[in-house]
Amino acid sequence: MAPVPATAAAGSSTREIRRAQRADGPAAVLAIGTANPEKCVTQDEYADFYFRITNSDHLPELKDKLSRICNKSGIEKRFMYVSDELMEAHPEFADRHLPSLDARVEIASKNVPELAAAASAKAIAEWGRPATDITHLIFSTYSGVKAPSGDRLLASLLGLRPTVSRTVLSLHGCYGGGRALQLAKELAENNRGARVLVACAESTLIAFYGPEVGCNDIIVGQALFGDGSGAVIVGADPVDAVERPLFEMAFASQTTIPDSEGAITMQYMKGGMDYHIASGVPEMLAGNVERCLAHAFDSVGVAAKWKDLFWAVHPGGRRILDLIEEALGLENGAMAASRQVLSEFGNMSGTTVIFVLNELRRRFEADGAEGADWGALMAFGPGVTVETVLLRVASGLKPNQ
Ligand SMILES: CC(C)(COP(=O)(O)OP(=O)(O)OC[C@H]1O[C@@H](n2cnc3c(N)ncnc32)[C@H](O)[C@@H]1OP(=O)(O)O)[C@@H](O)C(=O)NCCC(=O)NCCSC(=O)/C=C/c1ccc(O)cc1
């Protein structure tokens, strides 16, 4: 089924043409797919695995620290491309002071779009329309920076049309999924008939290296991050009996927290992507989310009570969820979908929030979404940046509709 063309009557004013180009209704999430690499490492075995493959067993204090953080992480297991075989083939990856960026980018620029294609294929199958009906592609990743970028390979793996409008978002880190969804909303609402495929994919391979005395955030990152891809199809004015809207996207905004530039950083270096995670990040986020939420709900004129919302919050770390729940006065369990994803997959950076949306959808499908209405998706990353998207449960998740 071809997208609805944007037409206005002959002799129309530019304003009328513009109106005809816009969708009538709000953007909605029409389908979701996720994928992970095959290799799974349990959190119990991670410290042994990591110190062995980076030849670091001579640093037992750091190994104990990693074990302590793993125990408190709220993570049971993670999926990743990094393996014994990979490290045997690339021993230089263990030492971030050795040049290895070329090899990392070479591997990631193939693996990461392929992972994105696996998640996207699932979303397209659920959507029920041909891949050639996708009009826009937004690909978000910080893995494998080169041109042409991974979006080109992704489009060809999926068989998208040659006129698909492609955009790459890079180095947004953990807020990439939130940013991509906001952009998809703008595209869908401003282009009648548009169907936007959002694909986020990350591999820790780009930032995997051995521990170092005095660099504790390396240990924190190694304890939390995993590989995965999440894909979402976004469109407005769903086609009856073909498309099933899951969540309407009522409002989206971005906030930069003042004086926070150095709190989360990522930078490509010769030995891989360097990163820094300040220890006050959970407190900083907890101190700012309520303001972001209040601004978003005020903008749509809705007097929301936090305890009545459903939540799709990026599980950047267990402590981030704990402190945000506390700051908003939420009951333990309000962020169960985020905690479940954290437990099963770890923090997959920008991709994670799509897994959380999928988990929420699964829960609504199981329970009938009785009484559920408004919710908030929030993602955080370098900046420090907070993405807020207000969601509403849509007809596809409501019983008897
Ligand atoms: C699960 C944590 C890590 C620990 O649990 P806890 O309840 O705080 O427990 P503790 O207070 O006992 O802390 C355990 C240990 O972790 C240490 N620690 C606690 N955060 C820190 C800290 N940011 N620095 C360096 N030591 C710390 C802490 O000092 C302590 O060390 P030790 O006393 O030796 O056991 C918890 O703090 C937590 O969830 N933190 C949030 C992590 C966080 O900020 N995430 C968001 C940023 S995400 C991001 O930047 C992404 C970058 C990225 C990078 C690479 C990629 O491949 C992909 C992405």
Side-chain angles (χ1 to χ4, degrees), residues 25 61 69 82 87 93 123 154 174 202 231 243 248 257 360 382:
E61 284 175 14
I69 296 177
V82 173
M87 296 304 285
F93 287 179
L154 176 58
C174 296
E202 300 299 358
E243 295 178 316
E248 287 178 345
I257 298 179
L360 269 176

Side-chain angles (χ1 to χ4, degrees), residues 65 68-69 72 142 225 264 275 277 279 316-319:
K65 193 180 187 76
R68 283 198 297 281
I69 296 177
K72 292 184 168 181
Y142 57 72
F225 296 112
I264 304 176
Y275 58 90
I277 311 166
S279 50
R318 195 217 73 244
R319 189 166 159 76

